[in-house]
Structure formats: C-alpha cells, structure tokens
Amino acid sequence: MSAPERIPPRNVTPGAASAELLAQGELTVRGRIREASNAALFCTVAYDGQEAACVYKPVAGERPLWDFPDGTLAAREVAAYEVSEATGWGLVPPTVLRDGPYGEGMVQLWVEATADDTGAELLALLDAEEPGPGWKAIGFAEVGRGRTALLVHADDERLRRLAVLDAVINNADRKGGHLLPTPDGHLYGIDHGVTFHVENKLRTLLWGWAGEPLPPDVLGVLESLQDALTDGAPLATRLSGLITASELHATRARVNALLTSATHPEPTGDWPAIPWPPV
C-alpha cells in the first residue's frame, strides 16, 4: 500500500462531534503510515455530511510485546484518551475503538501539526552546560565525533500537563515525534499503546520538572481524577472495558501517589528513563 496522501480534516474540530464522527462514520483507507512499528492506516471517515482525516490501527496489525501481554495497544490508546478527557486538558486527539476494514481497531482524529510534525519547536540541543531561560534540561546527548550537547524541552505549561498525564497513564514511550503543536496554539500527544502497565515504566523526554512541586491547578485536576477513578464512576467503568482490573488499580495508585508527594515524579533507575530513539 502506498504512503498516504495528506487530506486535512474538513468541517471538524476535536470534541464530542468528532468522536461521534469517528465512531459512526464510514472508514476509507487511503494509505499506510510507513514510519509506524505496527500497522497504522491513514483514512478518511465520513458521516452525516462531515468528513475528516484519521488514523486507523487495527488490532490484527499489532506486534505482540512480551512486557505488555494483556489487552491490546488499541484499547490502551483509547484508555489514554478517556483519561485525558477526564482531566479537561484535551491532550489526546479524539480516539475510539471500533470495527473497520481490517477488524476492530483504534481510530483517532488526524491532527495537522505545525513545524515538521515532530514537536521541534518544543525540543532543542544546546551547546551549553545549563538550559537558558524558557528551557528545561533533559540530559546530555552524543551528537557525533565525541561531542555532546544538552538536550532540553520548552518550559511550557502544555508540556507540563502532558508530563503529568504521562505519569498517570504510565507512558513507556513519550518521544519527541509524539508531540503535535497545532496552529491554534494547542498541543496534542499521540501514540499511547504502551501505557497503563502495573509496574513503573515511565519513559519520557519530559523530565524537566522532575522533583518540582506540582502547581495547585494540577493538584486540583488530580483530585478530580481521583474521584473519577473510584469504583462505579463513569470513567472507571469505561476504563474497565479497555484495561485490566490490575492496570486500573495501578492507575488509581499512581494518582494517589502524585497527590501524596505533590511533586513531579523522578526517574527511579529501575527502567531506562528516556526512550530510544528519543524522536
């Protein structure tokens, strides 16, 4: 199958209407996204006079992962969207689990990003020992011929919120290419298949706030999320159909731990802290 032709969304913005479009619309496969490690198909979806571009990842195209033996990547992607929506931050594009041309899979609204679609304006390599104003240090990276540079990310509240979301869902693979800033100033994160593990798997480029206090507004969101994850609450009920009972329990425990510490998590040393490749 050929590489996808870019087809920008029409008449649709992220929200309840786009979620209905994704769930009810007719999917038409336009091409395959070759960079994806699992089957990812670029599609259009049409319903009730609306049409949008989207990504369809069929469960049948997933490669088994030894450390994620339960459930599916597609279901975890949808679970990440559900948690994102519960925060009110809207960090994950509308995502649904539905049937498609190649069976059940995840369908997510296509987001057209600024820059080069890699979050480049949010990440940088500096020939310096310390980050300058507006930047947070991640660590030193080899840049060839024995040289190193300081890898940094922007001191950006949108990224801070995404770092908190990743800590809640236990994201094991937050790379630079998963950061999608849009022309209207919004920031989305994508590719959440390796999330919700019961063990600590947090692996991310967004370590710049590690150990720092969580802002009061973030603590307020976490308190609301704590309530939303209680047994019988609508969010908890939806998640129970997407991840295992143990994974749901671990998610509650991570939220509780963040509220107890009131700080951003720090690398533990038990797991590689930065994904490879980082972009």
Side-chain angles (χ1 to χ4, degrees), residues 7 41 44 75 78 80 96 131 146 153 159 191 231 240 248:
I7 303 174
L41 304 175
T44 52
V78 178
V96 301
H153 65 68
L159 285 183
D191 284 349
D231 282 333
S240 67
L248 180 54

Side-chain angles (χ1 to χ4, degrees), residues 13-209:
T13 55
S18 55
E20 181 183 15
L21 169 63
L22 294 175
Q24 303 294 332
E26 180 180 357
L27 279 176
T28 301
V29 177
R30 302 292 184 179
R32 182 167 185 170
I33 301 171
R34 299 185 185 277
E35 298 84 359
S37 56
N38 293 279
L41 304 175
F42 184 78
C43 301
T44 52
V45 58
Y47 177 72
D48 196 25
Q50 292 185 315
E51 183 177 6
C54 60
V55 177
Y56 163 49
K57 297 181 181 179
V59 171
E62 296 180 2
R63 297 179 182 178
L65 299 175
W66 67 269
D67 53 343
F68 283 83
D70 300 315
T72 65
L73 306 184
R76 292 191 190 93
E77 294 243 27
V78 178
Y81 167 69
E82 291 285 354
V83 174
S84 169
E85 287 298 284
T87 65
W89 292 334
L91 293 168
V92 179
T95 312
V96 301
L97 191 67
R98 57 161 290 178
D99 194 29
Y102 299 100
E104 184 179 64
M106 180 280 286
V107 177
Q108 184 175 83
L109 188 70
W110 180 270
V111 171
E112 199 67 41
T114 58
D116 58 359
D117 291 7
T118 64
E121 66 216 47
L122 302 173
L123 299 165
L125 284 168
L126 305 180
D127 186 12
E129 295 294 320
E130 298 289 339
W135 296 99
K136 290 284 189 177
I138 303 168
F140 288 94
E142 293 186 8
V143 293
R145 297 184 179 181
R147 294 178 58 246
T148 60
L150 183 62
L151 180 61
V152 298
H153 65 68
D155 186 3
D156 186 306
E157 205 58 31
R158 300 171 302 170
L159 285 183
R160 184 198 284 268
R161 290 176 172 181
L162 192 58
V164 173
L165 176 67
D166 284 343
V168 169
I169 66 176
N170 200 12
N171 193 347
D173 193 36
R174 174 61 73 201
K175 297 178 179 178
H178 300 163
L179 307 175
L180 302 182
T182 60
D184 63 1
H186 200 85
L187 175 71
Y188 292 98
I190 60 170
D191 284 349
H192 298 103
V194 285
T195 49
F196 294 99
H197 203 285
V198 296
E199 300 174 6
N200 178 29
K201 297 277 189 180
L202 185 59
R203 192 167 59 166
T204 175
L205 285 178
L206 305 180
W207 286 116
W209 296 279

Side-chain angles (χ1 to χ4, degrees), residues 160-161 163-164 209-215 218 258 261-266:
R160 184 198 284 268
R161 290 176 172 181
V164 173
W209 296 279
E212 293 186 12
L214 291 165
V218 170
L258 287 168
S261 69
T263 60
H264 286 272
E266 300 180 80

